[in-house]
Amino acid sequence: MKFYVNEPFVPSKRGGGMMFDVFLNHRGPDVKGSFAAHLHQALQEEGCRPFLDKPDLEKGLPGQEKIYEALRCASVHVAIFSKDYAGSNYCLKELCDMLGSKKLIIPVFYDVSPSVLRCEDPDGPYTKALNIDGTRSATDVKKWKDALREAADLNGFKLDDYNGNEADLKTAIVRKVRDHLRASQLSPVPPYQDQVGLKETVKELIETLNRMEKDVGILSLVGMGGIGKTTLAKEIYRCFEKNDTFDKKSFLMDVRESAILDLQKQLARHLFKADVKDTEEFNKCFNRGMDRKVLIVIDDVHQNDQFDKLIPDINKLRPGSRIIITSRDSNVVNNIMKNGNCEYCKHRMAPLSTTDSRHLFNWHAFQSTDAIDGFQELAEKVADACCGLPLALRVIGRFLFDKREERDLKSTWPQTIKTLSKEEDILNKLKVSYDDHSLSPQARKMFLDIACFMIGQPGHIAMQIFEACKFDYEGAQTVFFRKLEDKCLVELDEDGRIRMHDLLRDMGREVVKNNMEKGTPSHLWDPEMVQRMLQNKEVST
């Protein structure tokens, strides 16, 4: 086993809802039993999660409701335009919804040309279909014609361009979907990161991974919470997305909070193109060995057995494969490095330098690398009090973003400096933003709800739940959520799911625990906590 030392550079189970990457919009009688079914299978074999209504609907659930939910959660929409497509109200309604979502739409012109969709020919199949049915309202027909014309102008795939060869057409579509999903799997790194040494660190670590040559290589990114481990891992992963160094890739987010079986299922889809039901099936897939080089990122490992359950036998990986681990615990990664005959590099994350810390804070507080007049000295003191932690600099910067009045200069900023300077615990530093008086009590409660229950939930589902909470006025839930987003306390990922940094999650749950000591608990998310309270008769049963 080879060991590299890399000096530091200065620089829940998830929520429910349907999980599909691709929505296949089509007219069943035309293509469901042929082209659509073959495309569905090919996408599954590529590791994607396509939705083809009937095969993917859960028994006993309202069909149309689930179809609409699948359309909303999918990142890519594929519209298969066949000769009788315009005869289906459902197809046309779905098309309008897809266009309204602003997500990627891939038109497939199957035995029709884009000109047919424009309904310019009075004898064209789409023109006749839209005009022949008197039960359709003039408003709907106009809306559907506009949607078809918009779709006709999109870059798509034509069966005629492949000389009628459906296999070649299918392969081209799968490649387009795969490339888009790869590019959008991880949310973009914010532009300000370029100013805090990220590129230099990424370049150095990629060179280290390349020097590992033909053996299986493990890179661990180790450091305290909030120091930027996940951000660095994302950018390394994204760089490899741009080339064909690895045949298969998978990024396992937030292992600490996720169910191992869910992560095993994700790995099986991405690496083996297989759907597994349990750990035993996953182990069988893994033990058959890899015939391709893979890149796997395992984010936020905090127990040895988590790695062992995801990589049961590292010697089954093909030489040249790479694993990137992020962890707060150096002992955990030290134990992992003993797994098998591999090359290993530990990168210890260091806090940002004083200069980079101030630039990053200023970017969030003033949208510039420099503080505005009158705030320079205060900004330097706040940034220095954040101890070089990117998360704290980002959150505290956003907290102070709108505090530029004379009274803020004399009270809010000095008080923030005082609080940050005396607090050594990162959670208490972050709590400054949660305690902000500009956050209403209802917005704070929403933050706690998300921290305890809703991380990973589809945003639109969470908004429906909050809407039922009967806030002070209609639409308040959206206003409160955007306020939390503005404060960098929550965010929506590329799939529209709610995310929160693990330290912010921990801070929120700590607030709940402290409130619990003062009276009846407001949130119960931990089964052990519930069991303990019932045993102590702290709640009525």
Side-chain angles (χ1 to χ4, degrees):
M1 176 175 62
K2 299 178 183 178
F3 183 79
Y4 295 88
V5 176
N6 203 325
E7 292 301 320
F9 288 91
V10 177
S12 99
K13 185 175 180 179
R14 291 304 186 192
M18 303 181 76
M19 294 292 292
F20 294 100
D21 299 313
V22 189
F23 183 85
L24 299 178
N25 166 252
H26 66 290
R27 188 175 188 278
D30 292 355
V31 292
K32 187 186 296 295
S34 54
F35 181 74
H38 300 152
L39 179 59
H40 181 267
Q41 181 180 352
L43 288 166
Q44 286 182 320
E45 291 175 353
E46 187 61 32
C48 303
R49 295 166 294 184
F51 180 85
L52 186 66
D53 54 57
K54 189 174 181 180
D56 295 311
L57 285 173
E58 301 174 49
K59 288 183 172 60
L61 295 175
Q64 202 56 40
E65 178 182 335
K66 288 302 173 184
I67 290 173
Y68 181 63
E69 186 178 344
L71 185 154
R72 293 187 65 171
C73 79
S75 303
V76 180
H77 299 142
V78 178
I80 304 174
F81 295 107
S82 52
K83 285 186 177 179
D84 294 325
Y85 177 97
S88 168
N89 288 4
Y90 289 118
C91 286
L92 294 166
K93 289 177 181 177
E94 288 172 5
L95 178 62
C96 291
D97 290 334
M98 292 189 298
L99 290 167
S101 74
K102 304 302 181 183
K103 295 179 181 179
L104 175 66
I105 298 179
I106 301 176
V108 179
F109 301 103
Y110 186 88
D111 276 348
V112 297
S113 66
S115 62
V116 171
L117 275 67
R118 297 188 179 96
C119 297
E120 295 171 352
D121 182 357
D123 295 323
Y126 281 31
T127 309
K128 288 183 176 180
L130 288 171
N131 294 336
I132 198 171
D133 190 350
T135 63
R136 293 172 166 178
S137 70
T139 301
D140 283 341
V141 170
K142 182 181 185 307
K143 179 173 63 176
W144 293 339
K145 284 184 176 181
D146 290 342
L148 288 168
R149 279 193 290 269
E150 184 175 347
D153 293 335
L154 297 174
N155 290 327
F157 294 89
K158 304 172 189 174
L159 182 59
D160 290 346
D161 290 344
Y162 297 87
N163 297 319
N165 189 317
E166 292 189 7
D168 290 346
L169 173 63
K170 175 188 67 180
T171 300
I173 297 168
V174 170
R175 186 183 301 115
K176 173 72 173 179
V177 171
R178 179 200 65 195
D179 290 346
H180 177 80
L181 291 176
R182 282 182 176 179
S184 63
Q185 180 177 4
L186 301 171
S187 57
V189 173
Y192 60 77
Q193 294 288 1
D194 293 343
Q195 304 177 39
V196 292
L198 182 67
K199 284 187 175 180
E200 292 79 3
T201 307
V202 169
K203 180 181 178 181
E204 186 72 21
L205 292 179
I206 288 178
E207 290 175 354
T208 298
L209 288 168
N210 291 335
R211 286 201 302 271
M212 292 178 178
E213 297 178 343
K214 296 182 179 180
D215 291 333
V216 174
I218 299 179
L219 167 66
S220 63
L221 309 177
V222 184
M224 67 180 295
I227 205 167
K229 301 182 296 295
T230 301
T231 297
L232 181 57
K234 284 182 178 180
E235 186 59 12
I236 295 172
Y237 185 89
R238 186 176 289 102
C239 287
F240 281 117
E241 284 284 344
K242 300 173 183 176
N243 56 52
D244 296 324
T245 302
F246 300 99
D247 302 301
K248 297 289 181 181
K249 309 175 188 71
S250 188
F251 195 114
L252 304 178
M253 286 287 295
D254 198 4
V255 171
R256 180 188 297 265
E257 281 288 294
S258 301
I260 288 295
L261 181 57
D262 288 347
L263 299 172
Q264 290 173 334
K265 288 180 177 180
Q266 179 181 330
L267 268 182
R269 283 196 310 270
H270 291 176
L271 305 186
F272 311 117
K273 300 179 181 178
D275 288 319
V276 298
K277 297 179 180 178
D278 52 36
T279 297
E280 183 179 356
E281 282 191 15
F282 173 76
N283 289 337
K284 287 180 180 178
C285 282
F286 203 98
N287 289 331
R288 285 197 290 266
M290 294 281 184
D291 59 352
R292 297 181 178 184
K293 290 195 300 182
V294 300
L295 172 65
I296 305 171
V297 179
I298 308 177
D299 176 52
D300 199 14
V301 177
H302 74 293
Q303 294 177 354
N304 294 334
D305 66 342
Q306 290 173 327
F307 182 87
D308 295 335
K309 290 175 181 176
L310 295 170
I311 312 293
D313 186 352
I314 201 168
N315 295 312
K316 296 293 185 180
L317 296 179
R318 179 174 174 176
S321 295
R322 299 288 183 261
I323 302 174
I324 300 174
I325 303 165
T326 74
S327 179
R328 302 182 196 177
D329 193 334
S330 184
N331 289 327
V332 169
V333 296
N334 287 342
N335 289 329
I336 289 173
M337 93 177 209
K338 301 174 184 176
N339 288 275
N341 183 24
C342 61
E343 300 187 43
Y344 183 85
C345 171
K346 180 192 291 185
H347 173 71
R348 297 182 182 276
M349 302 287 293
L352 295 179
S353 67
T354 299
T355 300
D356 286 340
S357 293
R358 292 174 179 178
H359 283 174
L360 183 57
F361 171 79
N362 289 339
W363 187 273
H364 284 286
F366 308 108
Q367 295 294 289
S368 169
T369 54
D370 299 315
I372 62 176
D373 291 343
F375 284 82
Q376 292 91 336
E377 183 177 352
L378 289 171
E380 290 179 0
K381 290 181 179 180
V382 173
D384 294 348
C386 290
C387 304
L389 296 177
L391 176 65
L393 292 161
R394 183 167 64 247
V395 171
I396 302 302
R398 294 303 297 175
F399 159 64
L400 293 169
F401 174 74
D402 55 357
K403 296 174 174 56
R404 303 183 186 183
E405 302 293 333
E406 185 67 25
R407 62 178 182 273
D408 297 319
L409 191 63
K410 295 179 179 179
S411 59
T412 306
W413 283 73
Q415 182 58 44
T416 300
I417 295 168
K418 182 179 178 181
T419 302
L420 293 174
S421 298
K422 73 177 182 180
E423 294 290 354
E424 296 184 3
D425 188 346
I426 178 62
L427 296 186
N428 288 332
K429 291 181 184 290
L430 296 174
K431 193 170 179 292
V432 170
S433 184
Y434 171 80
D435 290 333
D436 181 10
H437 64 81
S438 68
L439 278 182
S440 69
Q442 290 177 317
R444 291 197 188 102
K445 184 179 182 299
M446 177 182 282
F447 173 79
L448 299 181
D449 290 341
I450 293 171
C452 294
F453 304 123
M454 294 187 175
I455 300 175
Q457 282 279 1
H460 69 280
I461 297 295
M463 288 301 104
Q464 291 174 7
I465 295 172
F466 286 130
E467 185 178 8
C469 294
K470 298 185 183 299
F471 287 130
D472 290 341
Y473 54 90
E474 185 177 353
Q477 69 276 3
T478 302
V479 175
F480 294 151
F481 188 84
R482 286 177 179 169
K483 187 73 171 179
L484 295 177
E485 281 187 301
D486 291 341
K487 297 288 184 183
C488 288
L489 295 175
V490 300
E491 62 181 11
L492 289 176
D493 67 14
E494 290 292 312
D495 293 326
R497 294 182 176 272
I498 298 177
R499 300 297 180 194
M500 178 183 290
H501 192 282
D502 53 2
L503 283 181
L504 293 170
R505 175 203 65 211
D506 294 346
M507 182 265 286
R509 293 179 178 181
E510 193 65 29
V511 169
V512 172
K513 290 178 181 178
N514 291 338
N515 291 340
M516 190 181 303
E517 296 174 359
K518 303 173 184 178
T520 303
S522 59
H523 300 73
L524 295 174
W525 72 92
D526 184 348
E528 293 182 3
M529 181 195 308
V530 175
Q531 183 178 15
R532 185 169 60 252
M533 294 180 64
L534 290 173
Q535 289 173 344
N536 295 336
K537 298 182 179 180
E538 295 179 16
V539 297
S540 59
T541 59

